[in-house]
Amino acid sequence: MNSSPLTVTFIALLQIFHQSFCQNGTKPNIVMVMSDAFDGRLTFDPGSKVVQLPFINYLRQLGSTFLNAYTNSPICCPSRAAMWSGQFVHLTESWNNFKCLDANASTWMDLLQANGYRTKMMGKLDFTSGSHSVSNRVEAWTRDVGFLLRQEGRPLTQLVGNMSTVRIMRKDWKNTEEAVQWIHKTAASAHQPFALYLGLNLPHPYKTESLGPTAGGSTFLTSPYWLSKVSPDLITVPKWLPMVAMHPVDYYSTFTKNCSGAFTEDEVRSIRAFYYAMCAEADAMLGQVISSLRETGLLNNTVVIFTSDHGELAMEHRQFYKMSMFEGSSHVPLLVMGPGLMSGRRVDQLVSLVDLYPTVLDVAGISSVVDLSGHSLLPLLSKSGALPKRQRPDWVLSEYHGCNVNASTYMLRSGKWKYIAYSDGLTVPPQLFDLSLDKEELYNVVLKYPAVKEYLDNLLRSIVDYPQVSATVHRYNKRAFTAWRDSLGRNYSQVIANLRWHVDWQKDALSHERAIDSWLYGF
């Protein structure tokens, strides 16, 4: 059978494309470093100027920076489940930090191993069901209950050590050291390509250990050494809407995160400065991995990827933490460097974490055995200019079904627009932001542009039947909570009264138990 000239050309391009990733007849190595809660806007200007991130800058100069990369769910476990599975959250039913992938779920790392790669996963993985605190899961299950309780301690900062105190997050440094040792001892001597994943906890804030009003909250903790990497004059103080002007879901989030009280400008600046310093410490760990690849002569044949599961609001929109579709929470870093890839490239296209699964397989020349939600990034990065195997959409999807948000949330980013729909699309009003004019996302223009709203809502519904998904999550929450309550028997009242919301709960415990009964049984 004769092939058309177009087919022959396409096949030739693909061959060149994959050959460009090979040296000495071997496939490229793959190294991914995934941090936790790293604001993606810090990887490009003007955000990159506020804190010194030399190794992220190294990746910027020798690789490509994605300017519009998003999480598929702004919380740890569901986000990582999407990245590891290549599937949207509603497909894997990763509803909260407790319910994600099955322990035996197949990942792209499994496929690499099955196709001849030497593989190693270390550090924070966090993509299977069953982890995180009881409070975290109960707060997620009961988010539709008719009460409003503070679930966090007030965020605070803590300075430790002195200018010689470098290794603060000891668990991350230990995992980084093990990754470096593995590169030197195992990867360098292997006679096959390797894939290494290192998951960091930083710059996720630490659990507050003190008692009192801040107990159970989060501490932004660093040392003078890392704080010296931050430019105080460039720290912005975000504008806040008055509480009465907030969208009802944002109000719920702000209150349950214990951020509805008064904060001084110095407090906000301090939280943001300490957070940036924690990002600098995470950058240094990335640097250790890059340096070990360079020292072993492996860097020239290794694709290096740096990303994060979600961002950190750091007091934007009167909130810390994530669980929000605002940019600080949903916009993630994504930098890629490797053989055959362009250097110094800034990529404008909208991408998300589900794109990493097909990208890694494309790097390794492996065909996917399942339908994936994402699309390979290599056509956007490769010097060969190979054509994409699938047409990339002009939108990205993120969704959230966990704690600190009292309605299932769906974000569609398309062009300059960010559209956020809730629940069934009727009971909670949507939001629409023009990011080209309103980078701080303070002006909901959904009523001003009804045609845009209708178009984006129809597009969202064509991607996911979000009212149906919301109903599924609602039923799951009731079933899961009922099973948990039944498992406690007579201890139920005592246990639920002493979760993270204990300060507010114990003011009227009986009323709160009745509110749960009303939610479960309708009386």
Side-chain angles (χ1 to χ4, degrees), residues 62 67 85 107 161 171 183 185 232 282 294 304 309-310 328 335 412 427 475 512 518 521:
L62 296 183
L67 306 181
S85 69
T107 69
K171 185 176 182 180
I183 290 171
K185 295 181 180 180
R294 187 168 53 227
V304 179
D309 55 353
H310 50 73
L335 300 100
L412 190 68
T427 54
R475 291 191 295 270
H512 296 136
S518 178
Y521 308 119

Side-chain angles (χ1 to χ4, degrees), residues 119-407:
T119 61
K120 184 68 174 179
M121 300 161 65
M122 57 182 62
K124 185 170 186 177
L125 301 178
D126 198 17
F127 63 90
T128 56
S129 296
S131 61
H132 293 268
S133 69
V134 174
S135 288
N136 190 284
R137 69 192 70 157
V138 173
E139 291 158 9
W141 294 333
T142 60
R143 63 185 192 168
D144 292 333
V145 177
F147 51 53
L148 189 61
L149 305 171
R150 288 171 293 178
Q151 300 168 1
E152 304 274 354
R154 182 185 173 93
L156 55 92
T157 59
Q158 182 181 352
L159 192 65
V160 297
N162 51 43
M163 283 299 291
S164 64
T165 306
V166 176
R167 298 196 169 194
I168 301 170
M169 173 36 94
R170 296 190 179 277
K171 185 176 182 180
D172 277 354
W173 280 109
K174 181 177 182 294
N175 289 327
T176 301
E177 285 181 352
E178 291 178 359
V180 167
Q181 292 173 6
W182 189 85
I183 290 171
H184 278 272
K185 295 181 180 180
T186 303
S189 61
H191 299 290
Q192 62 190 118
F194 69 86
L196 170 66
Y197 170 89
L198 172 62
L200 303 177
N201 288 280
L202 279 179
H204 191 292
Y206 297 75
K207 180 181 178 181
T208 303
E209 299 298 340
S210 63
L211 300 177
T214 61
S218 293
T219 297
F220 293 83
L221 184 149
T222 193
S223 71
Y225 176 84
W226 294 114
L227 209 54
S228 70
K229 309 299 180 183
V230 180
S231 300
D233 295 342
L234 298 181
I235 297 174
T236 59
V237 176
K239 297 177 182 178
W240 292 349
L241 292 174
M243 290 286 290
V244 294
M246 283 184 174
H247 185 277
V249 172
D250 297 329
Y251 183 97
Y252 179 91
S253 297
T254 296
F255 191 94
T256 58
K257 291 178 180 179
N258 205 354
C259 289
S260 57
F263 287 84
T264 66
E265 185 173 304
D266 286 344
E267 281 183 283
V268 174
R269 284 187 181 276
S270 179
I271 288 172
R272 292 173 72 75
F274 277 55
Y275 168 67
Y276 297 143
M278 293 161 69
C279 291
E281 187 179 359
D283 177 78
M285 297 172 192
L286 170 66
Q288 292 288 304
V289 174
I290 293 174
S291 296
S292 66
L293 292 170
R294 187 168 53 227
E295 291 162 2
T296 53
L298 296 169
L299 187 60
N300 288 338
N301 195 38
T302 300
V303 173
V304 179
I305 302 170
F306 175 74
T307 189
S308 182
D309 55 353
H310 50 73
E312 163 64 55
L313 287 163
M315 300 312 293
E316 293 182 9
H317 301 277
R318 204 186 186 106
Q319 297 178 42
F320 73 107
Y321 245 11
K322 56 272 186 179
M323 303 120 167
S324 167
M325 295 303 174
F326 288 127
E327 289 291 284
S329 168
S330 63
H331 199 139
V332 297
L334 182 55
L335 300 100
V336 185
M337 176 185 76
L341 302 182
M342 287 181 280
S343 299
R345 179 165 169 75
R346 291 160 57 93
V347 184
D348 288 314
Q349 278 91 341
L350 291 161
V351 300
S352 64
L353 292 179
V354 289
D355 293 326
L356 292 179
Y357 189 120
T359 300
V360 168
L361 294 190
D362 216 357
V363 166
I366 301 171
S367 298
S368 174
V369 295
V370 297
D371 291 332
L372 298 174
S373 300
H375 298 71
S376 174
L377 302 173
L378 286 193
L380 303 176
L381 306 176
S382 175
K383 294 177 182 178
S384 70
L387 300 175
K389 299 176 182 177
R390 297 170 57 204
Q391 184 65 38
R392 170 172 293 279
D394 61 355
W395 50 263
V396 293
L397 170 71
S398 188
E399 54 189 293
Y400 184 71
H401 309 282
C403 59
N404 294 106
V405 174
N406 57 343

Side-chain angles (χ1 to χ4, degrees), residues 407-423:
S408 285
T409 307
Y410 307 84
M411 184 273 282
L412 190 68
R413 174 78 201 276
S414 180
K416 66 179 184 177
W417 300 106
K418 178 186 284 188
Y419 178 63
I420 308 173
Y422 299 92
S423 187

